[in-house]
Amino acid sequence: MSKRRVTYYYDPDTGAYTYGLGHLMKPHRVSVTHELVNAYDMLGQMHVLKPRRATPESMTAFHTDEYIHFLNRVTPETVEEMTGHGSRFLVGDDNPAFEGVFEFCSISAGGSICASERIADGSADIAINWAGGLHHAKKREASGFCYINDIVLGILELLRTYPRVLYIDIDCHHGDGVEEAFYTTDRVMTCSFHKFGEYFPGTGTQEDRGRGKGKGYSINVPLKDGITDEAFQSVFDPIIAKILEVYRPSAVVLQCGADSLAGDRLGCFNITMEGHAHCVQFLRKYNIPLILLGGGGYTVKNVVRVWAYETACALGIEADIDPNLPWNSYFEWFGPRYRLEVLENNMEDLNVRDGLLDKIRITALQQLQELAPAPSVGMHDVPRESIGHHLGLRSDQVRARDALDSRLAQHARYVYDLQPESDTPSSTSSSSTTTSEKSWDSNSNSDEDDDENDDVDDGNGANNSRSRTRTRRRQQQRMSILTGQYFDVPPPYELTTTAAAAAAAAGYGDLGLGLARRAAKRRFFQSGARWDETVEDVVAKRYYPMPPMSPMSMSMSMPMSVSVSGGAGGMGGRQYQHQYQHQHPHQHQYQYQYQYQCVVDDEMVTEEDEWDDSEVVDP
């Protein structure tokens, strides 16, 4: 067997993290795998590297800024408050906010990004990162034990060099996060072999084939319980061979989720170690640049066995290693047989009933036959450096924040806090929501695209048809990977007092006073300009300045009053006034008045900034 240049990424800190006592996900399995690989003397035959940890900036190549910022700050003590009582970012019990979650994610993502860079610059034929393969993570939300989608980040790095990338997923669960990320492009083809039917995440039918430009470039092979080595190979080999013939990928990413092995605590397949590793052997012989990633797998000793064996397959020495395990630090874990094997059990294979497997294979091959020849991209010069290096985001010298940076950050937080994270649809609309109406967006608590004001006449007798026809994003349910049951996501904010309800009716946002938020978040990047026939010109929204605010002296620590008066400056608006008292730590008493003005102009409401009492100078 021909020799391949193999690069192996491992960070010793990976096994130091834990999802919590009793949780099925065990990051320590990566450390045990490394020990077994070392015991078989395979490290000397590979280029072993410690991956560079992914930075927050590199993670935002796929994930949203606010989600990365959340992961970087969340702790077990603050998770309830920062997730809005479990309504965003970390929904359900599958993904706990354990200590060091961001560092763990940076190791996993960093390994996959470095593996992609290694493949892209031609330094390796095969790159391995067993700490990666977390394929359920969404753009702005954790899911299925996955926080950061290192696979998507790695593929994005490959796309800087290669025109086409093939992603193959042999995890027992559908690779929904990766498929969703590349659902509308033809530069990445995703192919997932998974269990389907009342099983997490509940997606991955053969009708899910992509959308728009990516139509036909998402291949799903839904299977049932108990599939064996022979049955699995009867669908894997012909489908992957056809993909390689039609799509002609420049690089392949294989997610080697080990929960498809027989006897897994969450899986339901009956595949042996040799049957699982056959996928690596099959792809290796095509001599296409290959990245091997980890993934699921919850019977730790079997996960370690198969990943160590697949490392040997990458090196091409699987026939030479001893099936009797060598001594290592975790030798006692592999009893009572102490062999490099994962045996099948007596599960019934439900895939062979009524020719189901043949129908699935024929359907997948027909879908591939309908594809056009391999897509390509225009010729262009490959960037010599990453975007992060070009922008200076990876510089070792970080400029200290000055006073202006602090003030801008404070103002940005205030503006962001003015806008609610989500809303809860009315009881009428939510009760009529069906499964078919659910949005593809992974965040069920996303802001509604429309509100009642979108249908207001624009002054010329024409309604905003674009806003009116836009599809609303509705509340979605989530499925737990642990229980397989659906559960409702709690609303992020609830009105708990009559005062809060009255404030919401008056149009207040949450200004840190315990008042309720608005019903919908203000939408940016939507022009308020309209054509005025009377002046034959474009008329934009007008914003009016806020009158100055005055500090006064008194004492209290809670808002005294909220007053509303009409006719602010003769502009047809409302003027709101809050009075606060501030007890200074040095016993100096201050009272200040918070006054702002809301001007209604073509249904647009603007609010000015609040006065920052933190800047009061102690006399």
Side-chain angles (χ1 to χ4, degrees), residues 121-319:
D121 64 19
S123 301
D125 301 314
I126 301 175
I128 302 173
N129 176 34
W130 295 129
L134 305 181
H135 58 167
H136 293 306
K138 305 298 194 300
K139 188 179 185 69
R140 60 180 65 84
E141 182 178 304
S143 176
F145 308 158
C146 307
Y147 299 85
I148 294 296
N149 202 316
D150 63 284
I151 304 173
V152 174
L153 297 176
I155 292 176
L156 290 175
E157 186 66 32
L158 289 174
L159 291 176
R160 300 180 67 246
T161 303
Y162 296 118
R164 295 176 302 278
V165 176
L166 170 62
Y167 169 71
I168 303 173
D169 194 313
I170 58 174
D171 193 287
C172 192
H173 301 90
H174 178 231
D176 55 334
V178 183
E179 178 182 285
E180 182 178 326
F182 301 110
Y183 204 64
T184 59
T185 180
D186 58 0
R187 293 194 62 194
V188 178
M189 174 174 279
T190 61
C191 181
S192 178
F193 299 81
H194 55 271
K195 161 70 186 297
F196 180 78
E198 294 301 323
Y199 194 70
F200 182 88
T203 55
T205 67
Q206 288 195 290
E207 287 71 32
D208 297 333
R209 301 179 55 193
R211 183 178 297 174
K213 195 175 181 180
K215 183 72 172 179
Y217 293 93
S218 293
I219 304 297
N220 286 294
V221 184
L223 304 170
K224 292 190 176 182
D225 293 357
I227 190 167
T228 60
D229 291 356
E230 182 181 359
F232 188 79
Q233 292 176 23
S234 70
V235 291
F236 182 88
D237 291 5
I239 292 176
I240 298 302
K242 186 66 175 179
I243 290 177
L244 296 176
E245 174 191 345
V246 174
Y247 190 64
R248 296 170 57 195
S250 307
V252 178
V253 178
L254 177 61
Q255 197 265 17
C256 304
D259 51 4
S260 52
L261 290 171
D264 190 81
R265 298 176 67 183
L266 282 183
C268 52
F269 287 171
N270 196 14
I271 299 176
T272 67
M273 181 184 71
E274 290 78 10
H276 196 274
H278 169 79
C279 303
V280 178
Q281 296 169 330
F282 184 83
L283 290 169
R284 187 183 186 276
K285 69 181 182 181
Y286 280 90
N287 201 22
I288 300 175
L290 176 64
I291 296 178
L292 301 180
L293 302 176
Y298 310 102
T299 303
V300 174
K301 59 183 180 180
N302 289 344
V303 176
V304 172
R305 285 183 171 111
V306 73
W307 286 352
Y309 185 73
E310 286 172 347
T311 303
C313 293
L315 292 168
I317 60 171
E318 64 271 21

Side-chain angles (χ1 to χ4, degrees), residues 322-602:
D322 189 352
N324 295 310
L325 292 176
W327 174 259
N328 59 85
S329 302
Y330 301 93
F331 187 77
E332 296 83 0
W333 288 29
F334 301 98
R337 293 174 60 87
Y338 304 101
R339 291 178 59 84
L340 190 65
E341 62 183 8
V342 178
L343 303 176
E344 64 179 4
N345 52 41
N346 58 354
M347 287 183 67
E348 179 185 4
D349 187 357
L350 302 181
N351 296 274
V352 297
R353 292 182 177 178
D354 303 323
L356 176 63
L357 209 58
D358 294 333
K359 295 177 183 177
I360 293 174
R361 180 176 57 253
I362 292 172
T363 301
L365 293 176
Q366 286 178 345
Q367 293 174 350
L368 292 170
Q369 190 66 36
E370 296 170 1
L371 282 181
S376 186
V377 294
M379 299 296 293
H380 60 86
D381 183 50
V382 176
R384 299 297 189 269
E385 59 182 0
S386 67
I387 296 177
H389 280 110
H390 180 72
L391 297 178
L393 298 177
R394 291 184 179 176
S395 175
D396 294 333
Q397 297 180 354
V398 181
R399 183 175 61 87
R401 287 178 51 173
D402 56 20
L404 180 59
D405 291 330
S406 300
R407 291 182 63 113
L408 288 173
Q410 181 186 49
H411 181 73
R413 286 194 300 270
Y414 166 70
V415 172
Y416 184 80
D417 286 341
L418 280 176
Q419 302 167 63
E421 298 298 335
S422 60
D423 67 330
T424 304
S426 63
S427 58
T428 303
S429 62
S430 62
S431 62
S432 61
T433 302
T434 61
T435 304
S436 60
E437 292 175 315
K438 292 181 179 179
S439 169
W440 240 94
D441 197 328
S442 63
N443 183 6
S444 68
N445 299 297
S446 301
D447 310 317
E448 285 193 355
D449 288 334
D450 297 331
D451 56 31
E452 295 179 359
N453 292 334
D454 287 333
D455 295 330
V456 176
D457 190 278
D458 63 0
N460 296 323
N463 290 342
N464 189 344
S465 59
R466 182 187 65 173
S467 298
R468 190 158 24 89
T469 57
R470 192 182 295 118
T471 305
R472 288 180 180 269
R473 297 177 184 171
R474 303 183 186 275
Q475 195 85 353
Q476 290 184 357
Q477 287 184 324
R478 295 292 194 278
M479 175 184 277
S480 170
I481 190 174
L482 291 171
T483 64
Q485 302 297 319
Y486 287 94
F487 60 91
D488 294 321
V489 180
Y493 297 96
E494 297 180 357
L495 296 177
T496 56
T497 64
T498 305
Y508 289 107
D510 185 355
L511 306 178
L513 311 176
L515 301 180
R517 292 180 179 262
R518 290 178 185 270
K521 197 170 189 176
R522 186 188 307 167
R523 295 184 304 279
F524 294 97
F525 308 111
Q526 291 190 15
S527 173
R530 61 180 175 81
W531 178 261
D532 193 328
E533 295 182 352
T534 59
V535 297
E536 296 184 349
D537 200 354
V538 176
V539 179
K541 308 292 181 184
R542 293 185 178 274
Y543 302 89
Y544 301 94
M546 181 185 93
M549 296 160 288
S550 57
M552 304 170 58
S553 14
M554 269 184 77
S555 67
M556 265 182 86
S557 58
M558 295 293 292
M560 288 180 57
S561 62
V562 178
S563 59
V564 180
S565 59
M571 293 177 288
R574 292 188 177 89
Q575 180 172 311
Y576 300 93
Q577 177 175 303
H578 291 250
Q579 291 184 2
Y580 304 85
Q581 286 87 19
H582 174 67
Q583 180 70 40
H584 196 271
H586 298 291
Q587 303 304 319
H588 296 287
Q589 296 177 349
Y590 300 95
Q591 180 206 355
Y592 62 91
Q593 184 171 271
Y594 168 45
Q595 203 171 36
Y596 67 96
Q597 183 173 294
C598 297
V599 179
V600 180
D601 181 8
D602 292 334

Side-chain angles (χ1 to χ4, degrees), residues 70-71 73-93 95-99 101 142 147:
F70 161 81
L71 284 179
R73 296 174 59 227
V74 70
T75 64
E77 293 77 23
T78 62
V79 61
E80 189 71 11
E81 176 185 358
M82 295 182 66
T83 60
H85 302 287
S87 61
R88 59 176 183 172
F89 300 145
L90 304 181
V91 180
D93 300 326
N95 294 84
F98 59 87
E99 197 69 41
V101 59
Y147 299 85

